[in-house]
Amino acid sequence: MDGNGRWATRRGLPRAAGHRAGAQAVRRVVEAAPGLGARGLTLFAFSADNWKRPPGEVAALMRLFARHLRTETPKLVERGVRLDVVGRRDRLPAPLVASIAAAERATRDGAELRLRLAVDYSARWAISAGVLLPDVDLLVRTGGERRLSDFLLWESAYAELVFTDVMWPDFTAADLAAAIAEFHARQRRFGALPEAAAG
Ligand code: FPP
């Protein structure tokens, strides 16, 4: 979910305003995903390297995550979304850890969409700890960056990668639909021959 900071700076706003707009984009995408055929969605909200940011920005993000979880949980339950937070919890503020536990508990019976929020997440850490997730089909990175930045490295072994210049706060259901359409247009071979040629 890259681009919150630049989105805000371009509008003469503080970076925190970009993160707030980013939270609205999270809401849009979570709402749209099941209708677009997605059964699972993993969002990279905070990487283990994001602790290097100024303490004020980190604290604002932690508060935003906790608030978002509290306000969104009833809607997630209503829509059958099961939430899991992946990553380390021992470095997170206690109120956020409590919000995470409450949201996971409240949504555990959701069967429409498996939503994973990566917070204090590092793929290298996850691999060394043996905390692995299902294989990724489609990985979308916003904000013009063209790298994986320690996200789902193991699980993305055969992921289709889509990079877009759209800043995360501007990312809409239509952008998600376009990424999914691109995914369907690609031929996935997993190292084998295309079916037609394999005859
Ligand atoms: C990366 O963009 C984004 C983050 C480090 C934070 C992601 C957080 C949100 C989308 C807000 C809400 C999320 C939830 C789950 C409620 P950046 O800040 O690095 O932007 P930049 O690349 O323009 O500097």
Side-chain angles (χ1 to χ4, degrees):
M1 299 193 283
D2 274 279
N4 294 349
R6 279 167 289 163
W7 181 94
T9 304
R10 284 174 193 173
R11 288 164 175 74
L13 299 169
R15 290 176 62 85
H19 295 315
R20 284 195 297 275
Q24 288 170 30
V26 168
R27 192 175 300 133
R28 284 198 298 270
V29 164
V30 170
E31 269 176 36
L36 294 169
R39 303 302 307 272
L41 180 68
T42 304
L43 300 172
F44 202 0
F46 191 88
S47 90
D49 287 316
N50 287 150
W51 294 111
K52 297 172 191 163
R53 292 187 177 204
E57 179 170 349
V58 169
L61 273 172
M62 296 295 151
R63 285 194 300 271
L64 179 62
F65 296 151
R67 195 167 62 236
H68 189 85
L69 290 177
R70 283 195 298 271
T71 59
E72 295 303 302
T73 293
K75 287 178 236 167
L76 298 181
V77 172
E78 211 172 286
R79 291 197 212 100
V81 179
R82 174 175 175 179
L83 174 85
D84 294 297
V85 175
V86 296
R88 289 180 60 170
R89 291 200 194 175
D90 56 312
R91 304 190 289 193
L92 301 179
L96 175 56
V97 174
S99 298
I100 291 171
E104 287 180 333
R105 202 167 37 243
T107 63
R108 69 182 161 205
D109 294 329
E112 295 304 312
L113 179 73
R114 191 81 185 257
L115 173 64
R116 294 185 176 89
L117 203 55
V119 179
D120 196 4
Y121 175 87
S122 150
R124 287 176 170 173
W125 166 83
I127 291 166
S128 66
V131 186
L132 299 173
L133 299 176
D135 279 354
V136 172
D137 289 315
L138 167 64
L139 188 146
V140 181
R141 183 157 189 176
T142 59
E145 314 292 356
R146 277 148 178 82
R147 54 179 173 261
L148 296 184
S149 301
D150 205 10
F151 187 52
L152 299 175
L153 299 179
W154 179 279
E155 296 87 343
S156 296
Y158 281 98
E160 296 298 329
L161 308 181
V162 170
F163 298 106
T164 167
D165 292 334
V166 174
M167 299 288 142
W168 177 254
D170 289 328
F171 197 81
T172 62
D175 292 312
L176 181 62
I180 291 174
E182 182 166 344
F183 167 80
H184 285 301
R186 296 207 188 155
Q187 186 188 55
R188 303 186 82 194
R189 295 191 298 279
F190 300 95
L193 299 178
E195 263 173 49

